[in-house]
Amino acid sequence: MTVIFNFFYNNDIISKVMVTVINEPGDDMNPYIPTKTPRFVIIDYRASEEILNYIKKLNIEPIMTLKCADLQEPVDGHPDMVIHPIDFETFVIAPNVYDYYRNVLGSIGIKVIKGGKTLNRNYPEDIAYNVARIGRYAVHNLQHTDQVLKYYLEEAGIEFIHVNQGYSKCSAAAVGENKALTSDVRIHETLKSYNIDCMYINPKAVYLKGYDYGFIGGCAGLISEKIFLSTGKILDENILNTLKKFIQSAGYIYDEASSGQIIDLGSLIPII
């Protein structure tokens, strides 16, 4: 961003100074850290009415995902499997569902870019866009990151952290610029080594139909500049109480969108 300063003497401009202000990566760039209440949020097409009603009460309009028939059924509506927001205005979309999101997101002012990797149902052919964003970092198994996505992240000045976990976004959620939650032990260790304050949550606390458990990044995240939202209740009181304290330490309010058990819906992607 370029700012022009005018200097006056006796009401006359005597000089102009142009200053280019460069945001550091992570400053208002992490699309999973809303700076205000979003206009929309992208959510799994199977989200319950209770969850949708909660979102609407915040004056946020849900955008339901399109079922991606090329993915396994439990995750075929998860937005974080097919969409990656570079920033608040630019989204990279898997070719499988590109036409749908080009129309839906393009109509509300989002720049939609077609990714290079067409997804298939078996790992690792399904993980190309499932990249976690923690602070100024993109966290993923970089051997399988979509190359178009990687290019735009590099252009945005985002740094990369390699982890073995391919479902990185499913496994982690940003809690402000230097805090994160994860249900993956190795991601927890790696983020701690980068001086990121990270809380580990046992994935067995999360429900995902069709699998033994879900992932914390897919069922919780910042829904506004004030609220960290869980899709439901964590039944383990010890985990819940520790989580609430962690969220509050980052300056956010912890809330639950439903009275049911916390469920992995593949992240909530805010659009401000």
Side-chain angles (χ1 to χ4, degrees):
M1 176 178 66
T2 300
V3 180
I4 301 176
F5 293 95
N6 295 324
F7 292 88
F8 294 84
Y9 180 76
N10 289 337
N11 295 323
D12 294 323
I13 297 176
I14 59 174
S15 65
K16 292 185 178 183
V17 177
M18 296 180 64
V19 178
T20 300
V21 179
I22 301 175
N23 286 333
E24 289 295 323
D27 293 346
D28 297 333
M29 288 182 63
N30 189 325
Y32 289 101
I33 305 178
T35 54
K36 59 184 178 181
T37 300
R39 297 175 294 151
F40 306 93
V41 66
I42 306 174
I43 190 169
D44 191 304
Y45 69 89
R46 294 162 293 195
S48 70
E49 284 300 316
E50 187 178 7
I51 293 174
L52 296 177
N53 287 335
Y54 175 96
I55 292 171
K56 290 175 183 177
K57 286 179 181 178
L58 297 177
N59 294 318
I60 302 171
E61 186 65 30
I63 294 176
M64 311 305 284
T65 57
L66 175 71
K67 177 179 179 178
C68 181
D70 300 307
L71 296 176
Q72 299 276 0
E73 189 275 334
V75 299
D76 66 12
H78 284 196
D80 59 19
M81 297 293 287
V82 297
I83 301 170
H84 187 92
I86 302 297
D87 51 35
F88 293 118
E89 300 175 346
T90 306
F91 289 20
V92 175
I93 311 291
N96 312 61
V97 291
Y98 172 76
D99 289 341
Y100 171 76
Y101 290 107
R102 178 186 58 187
N103 294 330
V104 172
L105 300 181
S107 68
I108 57 173
I110 299 297
K111 180 181 178 181
V112 180
I113 297 169
K114 190 174 186 178
K117 171 67 176 178
T118 299
L119 300 174
N120 291 301
R121 59 191 294 109
N122 295 322
Y123 184 91
E125 299 301 312
D126 59 346
I127 64 172
Y129 306 93
N130 197 251
V131 179
R133 296 286 291 280
I134 308 297
R136 66 179 185 272
Y137 300 107
V139 183
H140 199 227
N141 185 324
L142 299 177
Q143 296 175 3
H144 300 288
T145 309
D146 176 67
Q147 292 302 304
V148 173
L149 172 57
K150 193 172 183 180
Y151 169 81
Y152 281 97
L153 289 171
E154 289 173 340
E155 287 292 297
I158 306 302
E159 298 179 45
F160 293 91
I161 297 176
H162 174 77
V163 293
N164 290 330
Q165 174 61 265
Y167 299 115
S168 306
K169 179 61 195 79
C170 294
S171 302
V175 187
E177 287 296 346
N178 199 50
K179 287 180 179 284
L181 300 175
T182 184
S183 52
D184 185 275
V185 173
R186 294 294 179 85
I187 289 179
H188 179 257
E189 294 172 352
T190 301
L191 293 181
K192 296 283 278 188
S193 74
Y194 279 80
N195 295 316
I196 293 169
D197 187 7
C198 189
M199 177 181 169
Y200 171 78
I201 291 183
N202 190 323
K204 292 181 180 178
V206 180
Y207 175 74
L208 177 57
K209 184 178 179 181
Y211 292 110
D212 293 336
Y213 52 81
F215 298 93
I216 192 65
C219 60
L222 293 168
I223 192 68
S224 73
E225 79 281 17
K226 299 178 181 178
I227 300 173
F228 185 91
L229 185 65
S230 163
T231 56
K233 295 185 176 299
I234 292 179
L235 304 181
D236 187 308
E237 287 292 328
N238 291 328
I239 295 177
L240 177 60
N241 292 333
T242 304
L243 173 61
K244 285 182 177 179
K245 291 179 182 178
F246 187 77
I247 299 303
Q248 290 165 1
S249 73
Y252 296 100
I253 299 167
Y254 175 83
D255 205 358
E256 297 165 345
S258 74
S259 56
Q261 183 181 358
I262 187 170
I263 182 172
D264 188 342
L265 293 176
S267 304
L268 304 175
I269 300 181
I271 299 174
I272 65 171

